[in-house]
Structure formats: C-alpha cells, structure tokens
Amino acid sequence: AIKMIKDTFERRLAEQLRLTRVSAPLFLLKNTGLNDNLNGIEKPVSFTSFELNHDDEIEIIHSLAKWKRLTLADYNIEPGYGIYTDMNAIRSDEELGNLHSLYVDQWDWERVITNEDRNVEFLKEIVNRIYAAMIRTEYMVYEMYPQIKPCLPQKLHFIHSEELRQ
C-alpha cells in the first residue's frame, strides 16, 4: 500500500508540475563540486576506484540540490517543466533515531521558472498543484481502502509569514 501511494503521488505530481523522471547518481567525483556540503560539518562517505586515478576521490552523494540544477541545464529543460528523482545515500554523520538513519532514500524534484514567476502568487499556484496531487492520491487510497476516510481539506488557506509575525 505504501509503494502504491508513493507511485501514485509521484505520477500525479509529475502531471501537475510537468516533471520528467531522471535517475540520480549514487556517487560523484569529489572535484565536480556537485555534492552539497549540507551544513558545513558533515563528511561525505568517500572512496577511490582501482580503475580511476587514485587522486580522484569519489563521494557518495548526500544532497541533490546542485546536481538537480545542473541536470535541468544539461537537459535544456524549458521554463514550466522540471525533473523528479529518487536519491539513495549514506549520511555517516546523521544523528540516529526515529527520524534519521545512516541510509537515506530521498525523493526530490526541481522545476525551471522564470524571473517573472518569482512571486507569491506563482508560489501559491505551485503549492495548490502539489496539494491537488495529494488530494487525488488520498482519494485513490480511499477507493482501495474504504476504511481509510479522506481527511484533507479540499482547499488550502495561505498565511504570509508577516501575518504570523504580527
């Protein structure tokens, strides 16, 4: 059921935001600079390859932020379209507990926008599209498992951070 929910939401979100699936790398050469230094103190898991120059250190990827943006550019993704991916990583410095593990399976997406799209109204539109994918997924769960009643509100209410501050 969890896999079905993940797959359904992934498809719905891809439809809503015009996203294409792209496979994420498991590791990168350190000298590419694409592996984000998340908080400045985490050390990526690294190794060298017998087949490569021993000076070429390889890092297990632990963040896709830079990689996603480069991928958008490499694939010449037009504004209004984007990518989604699933990252598998090892974060050796993670604080272990109920919420964190050494192994990370992170689903992520990125979309090209224009300078004109950098505004609150556009952001609200994107949030509403994401939420529409959630609503459709919730309804599909209800159809398959009628004992699980839909509980998400049909409409979102937006509050600006300035309103919260006041």
Side-chain angles (χ1 to χ4, degrees):
I2 291 171
K3 172 99 170 85
M4 181 261 309
I5 290 168
K6 181 182 176 192
D7 291 347
T8 300
F9 178 71
E10 186 176 282
R11 282 191 308 275
R12 300 291 181 248
L13 189 68
E15 292 166 3
Q16 287 288 330
L17 299 182
R18 294 187 271 186
L19 306 175
T20 301
R21 188 182 194 305
V22 177
S23 294
L26 293 173
F27 46 82
L28 294 166
L29 287 172
K30 181 178 183 173
N31 63 10
T32 63
L34 292 175
N35 206 9
D36 279 354
N37 188 7
L38 297 171
N39 62 14
I41 61 169
E42 294 172 327
K43 298 180 303 280
V45 175
S46 63
F47 60 95
T48 57
S49 170
F50 187 38
E51 293 291 319
L52 297 175
N53 180 343
H54 288 290
D55 294 332
D56 289 336
E57 195 170 354
I58 300 166
E59 295 178 339
I60 303 290
I61 197 156
H62 55 240
S63 174
L64 294 175
K66 291 178 183 175
W67 175 85
K68 288 181 303 180
R69 290 178 185 101
L70 180 64
T71 300
L72 289 170
D74 285 347
Y75 284 42
N76 294 313
I77 304 292
E78 298 285 328
Y81 295 87
I83 61 170
Y84 70 94
T85 191
D86 201 353
M87 175 186 78
N88 295 296
I90 299 170
R91 291 185 180 160
S92 60
D93 293 329
E94 200 69 51
E95 285 187 34
L96 304 180
N98 291 337
L99 301 177
H100 296 280
S101 153
L102 295 175
Y103 171 73
V104 178
D105 179 359
Q106 179 178 319
W107 189 89
D108 208 347
W109 64 274
E110 191 88 11
R111 185 178 149 154
V112 178
I113 64 171
T114 64
N115 284 337
E116 294 78 35
D117 292 335
R118 295 179 186 275
N119 61 67
V120 173
E121 289 310 310
F122 181 78
L123 180 60
K124 286 180 180 180
E125 174 62 27
I126 294 298
V127 169
N128 279 320
R129 288 181 186 194
I130 295 167
Y131 196 67
M134 293 172 64
I135 292 289
R136 290 181 69 192
T137 302
E138 180 188 51
Y139 188 74
M140 188 267 325
V141 169
Y142 173 65
E143 285 181 325
M144 296 188 77
Y145 305 98
Q147 68 275 23
I148 301 176
K149 305 288 186 226
C151 62
L152 294 173
Q154 290 302 304
K155 189 172 181 194
L156 292 176
H157 176 73
F158 291 94
I159 300 175
H160 194 281
S161 58
E162 182 62 24
E163 291 177 74
L164 287 174
R165 189 186 70 78
Q166 290 173 3

